[in-house]
């Protein structure tokens, strides 16, 4: 082989190897999943699970599934109550009441659970502003208390790990819907009235020195928004009005702005007297709801047995 032919062969071999490596890299990237919304979950008919035994729960306004203990849930009352969190299980058993130290129960409207740094956390949203007095909204993050469903009613006190004061980038809002996407360290909020605006707020590592700014990313064509939650995998948001539920899904790599910019999918909710809460179960699909009133009902929208999503 002459020197010129050898060079030609060498460059052709290197080019083929480069193309093959590029294809392999693309294949690895594509194996993470296609873009576009997450697979559609098939839901069954909503139903009542139980009535909560704790009669102090009269205006359940937020709901969160425990990230520490399967089958345990947390709720809180609307404005006027002490800064209390109530634990219960799927049978409605009272698992105790925890007082949050150092905060006031001004106008708590929603809550969320999430895992971060290998630890389970709860976030309580003191964001109600029915009378439009432009109160400074605040989010309280606490370590999730340990609950043992096999022990008698417990309870105690828990301190706040972080308080997040913030403002909205478009003025005062009455907000009753909050969710946490721990995967991107993002807090999502939706205003109850007006344009039903969706806001993003970064989840900081500690209490900020000054109020943060929640930035608007989308508007929703819905009725009054009263609750929301984010699935543990960060791919689904469920939004509640006084009527039905609406799901907004996104694919890997998509922003929440893109997800909320698409039309949502309506999910029929069971009837509630005044339902102002919703949350995903630990499976990221099954939905749970409560309603104001005493005894407080716990309802579910189950996944159909033949649902093929993972």
């Amino acid at each position: 082989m002459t020197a010129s032919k050898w060079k030609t062969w060498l460059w052709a071999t290197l080019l083929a190897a480069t193309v093959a490596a590029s294809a392999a890299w693309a294949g690895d990237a594509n194996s993470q999943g296609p873009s576009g919304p997450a697979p559609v979950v098939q839901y069954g008919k909503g139903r009542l699970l139980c009535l909560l035994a704790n009669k102090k729960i009269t205006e359940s306004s937020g709901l969160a599934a425990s990230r520490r203990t399967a089958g345990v849930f947390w709720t809180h009352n609307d404005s006027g109550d002490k800064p209390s969190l109530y634990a219960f299980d799927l049978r409605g058993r009272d698992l105790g009441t925890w007082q949050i130290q150092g905060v006031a129960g001004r106008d708590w409207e929603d809550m969320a659970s999430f895992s971060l740094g290998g630890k389970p956390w709860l976030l309580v949203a003191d964001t109600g502003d029915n009378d439009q007095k432009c109160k400074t909204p605040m989010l309280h993050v606490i370590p999730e208390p340990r609950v043992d469903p096999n022990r008698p009613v417990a309870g105690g006190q828990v301190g706040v790990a972080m308080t997040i004061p913030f403002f909205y980038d478009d003025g005062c809002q009455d907000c009753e819907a909050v969710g946490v996407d721990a995967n991107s360290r993002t807090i999502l909020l939706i205003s109850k009235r007006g344009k039903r605006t969706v806001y993003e707020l970064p989840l900081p590592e500690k209490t900020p020195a000054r109020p943060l700014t929640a930035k608007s990313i989308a508007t929703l064509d819905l009725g009054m928004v009263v609750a929301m939650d984010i699935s543990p995998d960060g791919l689904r948001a469920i939004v509640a009005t006084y009527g039905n539920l609406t799901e907004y899904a996104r694919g890997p790599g998509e922003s929440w702005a893109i997800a909320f910019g698409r039309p949502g999918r309506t999910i029929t909710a069971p009837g509630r007297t005044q339902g102002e809460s919703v949350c995903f179960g630990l499976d990221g699909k099954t939905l749970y709801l409560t309603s104001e009133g005493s005894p407080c009902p716990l309802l579910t929208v189950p996944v159909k047995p033949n649902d093929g999503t993972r």
Side-chain angles (χ1 to χ4, degrees), residues 109-188:
E109 292 293 357
D110 201 5
M111 68 181 300
S113 60
F114 62 98
S115 296
L116 192 64
K119 298 179 180 180
W121 303 91
L122 298 175
L123 180 145
V124 178
D126 193 346
T127 54
D129 193 11
N130 288 324
D131 49 11
Q132 298 292 297
K133 289 186 177 180
C134 289
K135 306 169 185 174
T136 301
M138 291 182 288
L139 305 171
H140 304 299
V141 179
I142 67 169
E144 182 183 335
R146 190 178 299 276
V147 177
D148 184 353
N150 298 315
R151 295 181 60 186
V153 175
Q157 296 182 332
V158 59
V160 175
M162 173 172 59
T163 292
I164 309 168
F166 69 96
F167 297 111
Y168 302 95
D169 66 357
D170 56 358
C172 303
Q173 299 293 339
D174 181 22
C175 173
E176 298 189 4
V178 65
V180 177
D181 175 16
N183 302 281
S184 61
R185 295 190 69 101
T186 301
I187 301 168
L188 293 167

Side-chain angles (χ1 to χ4, degrees), residues 46 132 152 156 208 241 281 292:
Q132 298 292 297
T241 65
E292 294 191 359

Side-chain angles (χ1 to χ4, degrees), residues 46-80:
R47 60 186 175 87
L48 174 70
L49 279 178
C50 63
L51 298 176
L52 304 190
N54 191 339
K55 299 302 189 293
K56 293 181 180 180
I57 305 173
T58 58
E59 293 185 281
S60 176
S61 186
L63 183 64
S66 170
R67 298 298 180 90
R68 182 187 288 279
T69 308
V72 171
F73 292 82
W74 295 93
T75 190
H76 61 79
N77 282 322
D78 207 330
S79 58

Side-chain angles (χ1 to χ4, degrees), residues 81-104:
D81 194 13
K82 296 178 181 179
S84 303
L85 294 178
Y86 304 95
F88 60 91
D89 64 12
L90 288 169
R91 290 185 285 171
R93 294 185 304 164
D94 179 8
L95 299 181
T97 301
W98 274 260
Q99 304 291 331
I100 302 181
Q101 296 177 300
V103 303

